[in-house]
Amino acid sequence: VDVGSSYLPSDVLAAFLHANSAEIQTALRLVDKHEQMTLRLFGQAVADKSLDPEPRAAAGEEKGAGTRYLAQRALTQSAPELETLRLLLAPFVSAERVARHDRGPLLLTAYHLVPRGAVAAYRRILRRHAAVSEYRIVASGPWPPYAFVPEPRE
């Protein structure tokens, strides 16, 4: 189903919504009365030994595709650079999505789901931390919570 097209026959749309209704309802409950803040961190990545992109197999044991996939997924969603900031922002962040970047000085983008009315306090804490952070932090928003849309199944 191409949900991005400008025209979708009603029967195809109905089938799509039916197939994805549980995920859509969960996402709607999550984002209700929330806004999205987007953070971009620039700088040098922190080495995290627990997130080795090539997990070591035990002697005589081959790494399977599943093991490799899960290790890579953990690495791309990891953000040790955000740990201090996460603790400070915890009262204002209901959910987080992280996308790591593999080029240039942009390390990662973090999408934070923040309750409506909490953005000013979130920004104050972010400004204080950004002033002393070893990373350059660029924030934008609030936005509609686009990063928290579930991935559609076809």
Side-chain angles (χ1 to χ4, degrees):
V1 171
D2 177 15
V3 296
S5 65
S6 59
Y7 171 75
L8 207 56
S10 61
D11 59 329
V12 174
L13 179 58
F16 172 80
L17 291 173
H18 179 72
N20 292 279
S21 64
E23 291 86 358
I24 293 168
Q25 288 175 7
T26 299
L28 287 172
R29 281 191 296 276
L30 176 67
V31 302
D32 186 38
K33 298 181 180 123
H34 285 79
E35 300 173 291
Q36 176 182 305
M37 292 298 292
T38 302
L39 299 182
R40 289 182 176 79
L41 261 69
F42 298 85
Q44 292 284 57
V46 170
D48 187 343
K49 303 289 188 228
S50 68
L51 297 170
D52 186 350
E54 293 295 328
R56 309 293 181 247
E61 198 179 299
E62 287 291 319
K63 291 181 282 191
T67 301
R68 288 190 308 272
Y69 167 78
L70 290 173
Q72 186 61 40
R73 183 173 172 184
L75 180 64
T76 60
Q77 294 178 353
S78 165
E81 301 89 349
L82 280 178
E83 287 309 314
T84 301
L85 191 55
R86 280 181 175 138
L87 293 172
L88 297 169
L89 292 174
F92 308 106
V93 176
S94 300
E96 178 185 74
R97 302 281 189 270
V98 173
R100 291 202 70 88
H101 305 288
D102 60 357
R103 290 192 179 168
L106 178 60
L107 298 175
L108 61 89
T109 302
Y111 304 97
H112 287 159
L113 196 58
V114 178
R116 282 190 206 126
V119 169
Y122 173 97
R123 283 184 181 277
R124 273 192 304 277
I125 289 175
L126 186 58
R127 270 193 303 275
R128 279 188 219 132
H129 179 73
V132 297
S133 176
E134 64 186 281
Y135 304 102
R136 186 166 66 95
I137 302 170
V138 177
S140 64
W143 306 107
Y146 295 123
F148 297 89
V149 173
E151 293 293 323
R153 290 180 286 138
E154 293 198 32

